[in-house]
């Protein structure tokens, strides 16, 4: 899955992004994926569940790539 997420606001927590894009079926599942080291931000494994994801960042893992862009006002 390759998807572009339109971010309204300054940032979104990593676990919330995974849930919003249906990479994980729930917030708990998203947190588990992050804790297991299955999610990377800009090519680096990210273990902080509430890491702030901002426009221009790339979140990826096994079978998914999410590009975060600022939503048009």
């Amino acid at each position: 899955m390759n998807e572009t997420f339109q971010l309204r606001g300054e940032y979104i927590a990593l676990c919330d992004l995974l849930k919003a894009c249906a990479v994980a079926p729930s917030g708990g599942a998203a947190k588990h994926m992050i804790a297991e080291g299955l999610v990377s931000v800009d090519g680096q494994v990210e273990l902080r569940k509430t890491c702030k994801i901002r426009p221009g960042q790339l979140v990826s893992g096994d079978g998914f790539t999410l590009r975060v862009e600022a939503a048009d006002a």
Side-chain angles (χ1 to χ4, degrees):
M1 164 199 333
N2 288 316
E3 188 173 323
T4 300
F5 180 79
Q6 298 293 319
L7 180 62
R8 290 180 172 79
E10 185 180 342
Y11 65 86
I12 186 170
L14 179 56
C15 58
D16 294 338
L17 175 66
L18 296 178
K19 183 179 172 186
C21 292
V23 171
S26 68
K31 290 176 182 179
H32 182 72
M33 287 176 64
I34 297 163
E36 291 292 315
L38 303 175
V39 180
S40 295
V41 176
D42 294 333
Q44 298 292 318
V45 173
E46 180 58 70
L47 299 174
R48 296 174 296 160
K49 298 168 188 77
T50 58
C51 172
K52 294 177 180 177
I53 304 299
R54 301 176 191 279
Q57 290 192 290
L58 183 70
V59 177
S60 60
D62 187 26
F64 72 92
T65 301
L66 307 172
R67 295 184 186 285
V68 179
E69 295 181 352
D72 295 332

